[in-house]
């Protein structure tokens, strides 16, 4: 088995000499958990594994000449790993040509597909998966992705032309045109715009949008807007987003006549808004007030999601009191009468680690769940290891006492 791993590692290392993005990682952990209610005590090994990954690796080949051709290829490999089955494997997740083009260095003609209609209205919401990705507002698509065609770029301008037609069959035709301007700078204001048209099997859509940004030392504002017109059905959809900052307040807001939340929206303190799915007339806003600039160690965040339907609100206050990080949070969703409140704190002691705790209240119309979590976590005592002891209750209002877990995790 060791020989198999060695051969696979050599293969991956050889590939990584051509493709950037090589990484080797792994983890092993064990925990001792005592279930007070179930009266059990035992060790549990976690998902112990070693992983070799080439993530989003890209290689480019360029020919010589005043006007030359180039090609970019990407390779993603996941992964060599060992789990409970003790199996090992090298899996090619994706190998594809990302771009093929002709250029002289000042202009570029890409020949794989046509550029889709640009959009400028962006949501501020954060996904629940902790990747801190901005959730973009999704309108009814003007043009589907991957339409065969060409994209031309020059001096900041981008234009796309696509065509996929079946003149004898029943699949119809898809004609696509798109254009995006460079960012024009008018003193303190920057402006960019774009538009597109598609005729997909007789369904004609026109899309257009723009973005404007203004900034001074004391104030900044960015506004983006998109619109889609279904010509045949005489339907109109639009989205507008705005970000305004004037110390110490920052405001983000977005409105869309049609949008999709592909994931639950994460707000604060492990609370996720349950409004996943397609939305109509979606309006949301976030206001952050940082009073630290006035020597008041408090940061306030107010969130309002889906104001016209589910009507979810939450407020978070974060402060530091004598090196103790303190967070107080409260949330309420009007559509289902769910409430949620949390008080959390943590304090770091040298050579001991981070001591933390949280009191969590939740329920429908009234509090019917009470959870408590306290623990200590150390990442400095042993280099490369996280040592942790944590008590996590069940619902104390229903006399579920919970569990105590001591764990050690090693990562590389």
């Amino acid at each position: 088995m060791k020989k198999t791993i060695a051969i696979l590692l050599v293969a991956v290392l050889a590939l990584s000499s051509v493709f950037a993005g090589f990484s080797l990682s792994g983890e092993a952990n064990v925990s001792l958990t005592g279930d007070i209610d179930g009266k059990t005590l035992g060790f549990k090994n976690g998902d112990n594994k070693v992983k070799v990954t080439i993530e989003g690796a890209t290689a480019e080949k360029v020919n010589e000449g005043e006007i030359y051709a180039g090609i970019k290829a990407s390779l993603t490999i996941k992964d060599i790993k060992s789990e409970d089955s003790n199996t090992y494997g090298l899996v090619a997740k994706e190998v594809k040509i990302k771009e093929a083009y002709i250029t002289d260095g000042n202009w570029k003609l890409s020949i794989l597909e046509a550029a889709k209609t640009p959009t400028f209205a962006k949501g501020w919401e954060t996904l629940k998966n902790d990747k801190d990705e901005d959730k973009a507002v999704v309108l009814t698509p003007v043009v589907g992705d991957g339409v065969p065609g060409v994209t031309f770029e020059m001096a900041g301008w981008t234009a796309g032309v696509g065509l996929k037609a079946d003149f004898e069959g029943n699949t119809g035709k898809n004609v696509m045109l798109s254009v995006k301007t460079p960012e024009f700078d008018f003193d303190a204001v920057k402006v960019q715009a774009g538009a597109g048209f598609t005729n997909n099997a007789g369904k004609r859509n026109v899309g257009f949008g723009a973005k404007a940004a203004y900034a001074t030392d004391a104030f900044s504002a960015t506004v983006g807007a998109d619109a889609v017109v279904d010509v045949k059905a005489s339907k109109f959809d639009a989205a507008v987003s705005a970000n305004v900052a004037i110390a110490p307040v920052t405001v983000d807001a977005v409105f869309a006549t049609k949008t999709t939340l592909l994931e639950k929206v994460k707000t604060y303190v492990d609370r996720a808004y349950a409004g996943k799915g397609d939305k109509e007339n979606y309006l949301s806003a976030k206001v952050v007030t940082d009073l630290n600039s006035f020597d008041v160690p408090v940061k306030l965040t107010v969130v309002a999601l889906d104001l016209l339907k589910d009507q979810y609100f939450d407020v978070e206050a974060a402060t530091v009191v004598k090196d103790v990080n303190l967070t107080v949070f409260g949330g309420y969703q009007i559509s289902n009468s769910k409430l949620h409140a949390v008080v959390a704190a943590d304090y770091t002691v040298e050579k001991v680690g981070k001591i933390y705790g949280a009191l969590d209240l939740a329920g429908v119309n009234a509090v019917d769940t009470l959870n408590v979590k306290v623990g200590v976590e150390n990442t400095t005592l042993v280099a490369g290891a996280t040592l942790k002891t944590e008590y996590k209750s069940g619902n104390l209002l229903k006399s579920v006492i919970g569990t105590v877990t001591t764990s050690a995790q090693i990562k590389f």
Side-chain angles (χ1 to χ4, degrees), residues 152-337:
F152 184 75
E153 300 173 59
M154 184 175 181
W157 289 82
T158 301
V161 179
L163 174 63
K164 185 177 182 180
D166 183 354
F167 296 102
E168 294 184 358
N170 298 317
T171 57
K173 59 184 178 180
N174 188 349
V175 179
M176 183 179 74
L177 303 172
S178 69
V179 63
K180 182 171 70 173
T181 73
E183 193 173 65
F184 297 108
D185 195 342
F186 301 98
D187 294 327
V189 180
K190 295 181 179 181
V191 178
Q192 190 174 28
F197 167 79
T198 181
N199 181 1
N200 188 357
K203 183 178 180 180
R204 297 184 298 277
N205 282 343
V206 177
F208 48 91
K211 179 180 70 173
Y214 173 81
T216 65
D217 292 338
F219 173 78
S220 67
T222 301
V223 178
D226 298 307
V228 176
V229 180
D230 186 332
V231 177
K232 189 174 182 179
S234 299
K235 290 183 178 180
F236 176 85
D237 283 304
V240 179
S241 66
N243 171 273
V244 179
I246 178 168
V249 179
T250 301
V251 179
D252 287 280
V254 60
F255 172 77
T257 59
K258 187 177 293 184
T259 188
T260 299
L261 298 179
L262 299 178
E263 303 285 345
K264 289 183 178 180
V265 176
K266 181 181 178 182
T267 54
Y268 303 94
V269 199
D270 298 330
R271 170 62 178 167
Y273 164 59
K276 177 180 176 181
D278 294 334
K279 298 286 182 180
E280 291 188 357
N281 297 321
Y282 176 81
L283 173 63
S284 68
K286 178 178 70 171
V287 180
V288 179
T289 305
D290 191 347
L291 299 177
N292 283 277
S293 57
F294 297 102
D295 295 325
V296 178
V298 177
K299 183 177 180 181
L300 291 173
T301 303
V302 180
V303 166
L305 287 163
D306 202 3
L307 279 166
L308 303 181
K309 187 180 178 182
D310 286 343
Q311 297 176 307
Y312 170 80
F313 303 88
D314 69 41
V315 180
E316 179 198 62
T319 186
V320 179
V321 180
K322 294 184 178 180
D323 296 328
V324 177
N325 297 311
L326 179 65
T327 301
V328 180
F329 162 85
Y332 184 71
Q333 187 168 323
I334 293 177
S335 64
N336 56 16
S337 301

Side-chain angles (χ1 to χ4, degrees), residues 99-136:
E99 186 178 8
Y101 58 87
I102 300 170
T103 182
D104 72 347
N106 298 310
W107 54 265
K108 179 188 286 187
L109 179 66
S110 300
I111 64 171
L112 288 185
E113 61 185 40
K116 60 184 179 181
T117 301
T119 55
F120 300 93
K122 304 294 182 183
W124 54 266
E125 295 90 337
T126 302
L127 299 181
K128 188 186 175 185
N129 58 13
D130 294 325
K131 291 184 179 179
D132 294 327
E133 300 173 6
D134 290 333
K135 170 63 68 179

Side-chain angles (χ1 to χ4, degrees), residues 69-81:
I71 193 168
K72 287 183 180 180
S74 68
L75 169 66
T76 299
I77 290 182
K78 288 187 175 181
D79 36 85
I80 299 173
K81 62 181 179 180

Side-chain angles (χ1 to χ4, degrees), residues 13-27:
L13 289 169
L15 287 169
S16 67
S17 66
V18 179
F19 291 92
F22 168 75
S23 67
L24 173 65
S25 62
E27 64 181 83

